[in-house]
Amino acid sequence: MSTRREFIKQSAILTAGTIAAGNSFAINFLKKPKVIILGAGISGLGAALKLTENGYDVTVLEARNRIGGRIFSHTIDDNDKIVVELGAEWIGDSHTRLKELCKELGLDLINNRFDDRLIYDDVFYKPDDWDYSPEWREKFDKILLSYSGMTEQEKIQLDKMDWWRFLMNNDIPQRDLDIREFSDSTDFGESIRFVSAYSALAEYAESNKYNEMDWKVKGGNSLVINSLAERIGMEKIRQGHKVDAINYDLNSIKIHCTNGSTFECDKLICTLPTYSMSKINWSPVLPKEKTDAMNQLQYSRINKSATLFKERFWKDEAFSILTDTFSHYFYHATKFQNSPKGVLISYSIGDKADIMSRLKSPQREDTIADSLNIAFGDVRNLFEKNVNYYWGSDEFTKGAYALYGKGQWFSLLPVLKEKINNIYFAGEHVADWQGFMEGALITGEEAAEGAMS
């Protein structure tokens, strides 16, 4: 049997001889596979950068006429260069990979933590004037501590009920339950009656006290996207290329776009949300288990309504309010931006988000003003502009991020992530840090590693 050194030597002789003779076999033997990536969000671009840095031929196909996907920074005031996030907002303190990437790209992070006020039953409470009851706080702390000792089977069992039912089973008082509904539904984008109890408990037990709502990029989160694209090369990113058909087998993958463009590759990384994946004509069809999982997974309905005010009447940079109104949750979206003007974003979820999105602009502004009136009186005279984006009707996602319901975390996620032949799947919906930029980035890089193996 040849030793490893002898094999390398023989391979080198064969390669040199065949190349000199013009034989293409050795060239093809050495050539790295061509990889196409679907989606120019942080998952797709993270994968593309890793592959590019390792010498792979990469093309990214993006259906939108912009890059970034659900990372969507918007300049709401051109004169003062005021930027708000209409998409992904927070980088958690535990999100080590994304923080490392920002450092690599030379991007600064700014504090994006808030001190929640509360509007409940038409009463406004300042941060130090409200809390959960002492009895519930003590019980919930014990629940969080117990998470680390749970067995895999106990977690699977917990996944079979929703978060509302879990809290009720633990005898949460009604007022505490109401406040948890306002707070926790903000995290998940839908009522706590719809989210897996395991998914919820795992997030709170593994997060810090700010629930990973810690940082954002100075100048806008889209700077991460722009910096990634610059390193990859914009010529490798094809915007306005919506994929409508994919033919694949063990040896090749052929892709067709609605604009008539066609591509071929050896390996494919799909970072699309499940709605867009389901609209592709896959040939052969994807395995039934995967299509069933795609059809079962829902995405949260989140509406971001950003109101630019002539002055920051709320005074506190860390200002936010949880409310029982249609506006749901307000937070200061222009922390540390140099302008007398400021933006409060009304972040509404579920049915509230759907209703807010359907209001005409004057009605939406009235709804926002009515909510703020409880704390500040009439602020309509300070309104300058309102910009609204509803992720529930987004053309490509039909939601903000994946929402794992009862019995879905352990059954759907592994199926959605599983590769098929030379097709790899990534995105926030198959991440441990689900719903965050961190998770999307990690899964993209993991898919790239798989494609290089």
Side-chain angles (χ1 to χ4, degrees):
M1 180 179 293
S2 299
T3 65
R4 180 174 180 273
R5 181 173 295 180
E6 288 171 342
F7 175 78
I8 293 171
K9 182 179 179 181
Q10 291 168 4
S11 297
I13 293 170
L14 171 64
T15 300
T18 52
I19 290 176
N23 190 322
S24 63
F25 173 79
I27 297 175
N28 292 334
F29 179 76
L30 292 174
K31 185 180 179 182
K32 292 181 177 179
K34 177 175 176 56
V35 183
I36 286 180
I37 298 169
L38 305 187
I42 194 169
S43 184
L45 295 184
L49 179 61
K50 194 173 195 66
L51 289 164
T52 299
E53 290 177 339
N54 283 277
Y56 283 76
D57 181 5
V58 176
T59 299
V60 181
L61 303 181
E62 170 56 53
R64 302 179 194 268
N65 290 314
R66 65 171 178 84
I67 58 175
R70 283 167 280 173
I71 297 178
F72 186 17
S73 303
H74 173 72
T75 302
I76 196 169
D77 187 290
D78 292 320
N79 291 331
D80 285 8
K81 295 181 174 57
I82 299 175
V83 178
V84 297
E85 305 298 336
L86 295 181
E89 183 88 31
W90 283 280
I91 299 171
D93 210 38
S94 300
H95 297 172
T96 54
R97 177 62 194 120
L98 185 50
K99 291 198 297 182
E100 287 171 359
L101 178 63
C102 289
K103 188 175 182 179
E104 293 167 16
L105 298 174
L107 301 175
D108 295 327
L109 301 181
I110 58 173
N111 183 306
N112 203 34
R113 294 169 178 158
F114 297 100
D115 297 324
D116 288 341
R117 286 87 176 148
L118 175 68
I119 291 176
Y120 182 69
D121 281 347
D122 291 330
V123 178
F124 172 60
Y125 300 89
K126 294 180 180 180
D128 294 332
D129 294 339
W130 72 277
D131 200 348
Y132 297 103
S133 65
E135 296 79 12
W136 174 250
R137 182 165 287 285
E138 180 180 358
K139 177 177 281 191
F140 193 63
D141 286 343
K142 291 179 180 178
I143 291 171
L144 294 179
L145 286 173
S146 71
Y147 172 80
S148 61
M150 290 181 68
T151 66
E152 190 74 3
Q153 191 55 46
E154 287 173 331
K155 292 176 180 179
I156 292 172
Q157 190 64 32
L158 182 59
D159 187 46
K160 294 179 180 180
M161 77 173 77
D162 61 65
W163 187 228
W164 177 86
R165 173 59 63 184
F166 175 84
L167 296 173
M168 292 293 288
N169 286 353
N170 280 278
D171 300 320
I172 183 172
Q174 184 61 51
R175 184 178 186 275
D176 294 324
L177 179 64
D178 291 343
I179 296 172
R180 288 222 69 96
E181 173 69 67
F182 308 148
S183 175
D184 297 357
S185 63
T186 305
D187 295 329
F188 299 109
E190 292 285 348
S191 168
I192 61 176
R193 293 172 181 261
F194 301 144
V195 66
S196 152
Y198 167 75
S199 177
L201 181 59
E203 177 161 326
Y204 295 128
E206 295 173 0
S207 298
N208 61 17
K209 68 176 183 178
Y210 292 100
N211 293 329
E212 306 304 325
M213 298 165 66
D214 296 297
W215 311 98
K216 67 178 178 181
V217 176
K218 183 179 181 180
N221 290 332
S222 287
L223 291 178
V224 177
I225 297 298
N226 297 338
S227 299
L228 285 171
E230 183 178 346
R231 291 199 174 192
I232 295 161
M234 282 301 298
E235 72 281 358
K236 297 179 181 178
I237 304 171
R238 309 290 183 88
Q239 299 176 53
H241 281 66
K242 181 180 179 181
V243 174
D244 64 353
I246 296 176
N247 289 56
Y248 66 96
D249 56 32
L250 285 171
N251 300 312
S252 67
I253 301 168
K254 298 178 181 179
I255 300 166
H256 185 274
C257 299
T258 55
N259 63 7
S261 299
T262 58
F263 301 86
E264 291 190 30
C265 61
D266 303 298
K267 297 190 177 184
L268 176 71
I269 296 176
C270 179
T271 71
L272 305 180
T274 55
Y275 174 77
S276 287
M277 283 174 55
S278 70
K279 294 302 179 182
I280 296 173
N281 180 21
W282 298 83
S283 181
V285 297
L286 297 176
K288 184 177 185 301
E289 189 179 26
K290 189 175 284 286
T291 56
D292 285 349
M294 288 162 53
N295 291 331
Q296 290 174 52
L297 185 66
Q298 292 198 35
Y299 279 59
S300 58
R301 294 170 293 170
I302 291 176
N303 187 81
K304 280 191 162 187
S305 193
T307 304
L308 177 65
F309 292 93
K310 297 173 184 176
E311 64 180 62
R312 303 183 183 189
F313 57 86
W314 51 90
K315 306 301 182 185
D316 183 3
E317 288 289 289
F319 176 83
S320 61
I321 315 178
L322 283 167
T323 84
D324 56 4
T325 70
F326 276 120
S327 299
H328 190 73
Y329 179 57
F330 289 100
Y331 64 91
H332 178 202
T334 47
K335 286 182 72 174
F336 310 122
Q337 295 190 44
N338 188 24
S339 173
K341 301 176 184 179
V343 172
L344 293 181
I345 283 183
S346 164
Y347 182 107
S348 51
I349 60 91
D351 291 341
K352 291 179 181 179
D354 191 59
I355 292 169
M356 284 288 283
S357 74
R358 295 176 188 276
L359 297 176
K360 301 297 183 184
S361 185
Q363 295 173 303
R364 188 161 49 245
E365 291 178 8
D366 283 344
T367 300
I368 290 168
D370 288 344
S371 296
L372 292 171
N373 183 68
I374 298 170
F376 299 103
D378 193 353
V379 296
R380 286 176 176 83
N381 64 316
L382 297 176
F383 275 53
E384 186 165 313
K385 183 190 296 185
N386 177 267
V387 175
N388 199 79
Y389 198 87
Y390 179 42
W391 286 96
S393 62
D394 181 85
E395 179 184 358
F396 303 105
T397 64
K398 299 302 180 184
Y401 42 76
L403 176 77
Y404 279 88
K406 292 185 295 184
Q408 292 188 336
W409 184 267
F410 294 97
S411 61
L412 299 191
L413 192 148
V415 175
L416 291 168
K417 192 170 186 177
E418 187 176 3
K419 69 183 286 287
I420 300 172
N421 293 349
N422 288 317
I423 302 174
Y424 301 79
F425 298 90
E428 61 81 21
H429 61 291
V430 293
D432 289 337
W433 275 116
Q434 183 264 318
F436 283 101
M437 292 179 280
E438 170 82 352
L441 173 63
I442 289 173
T443 63
E445 293 181 334
E446 288 175 346
E449 290 172 1
M452 291 188 292
S453 62

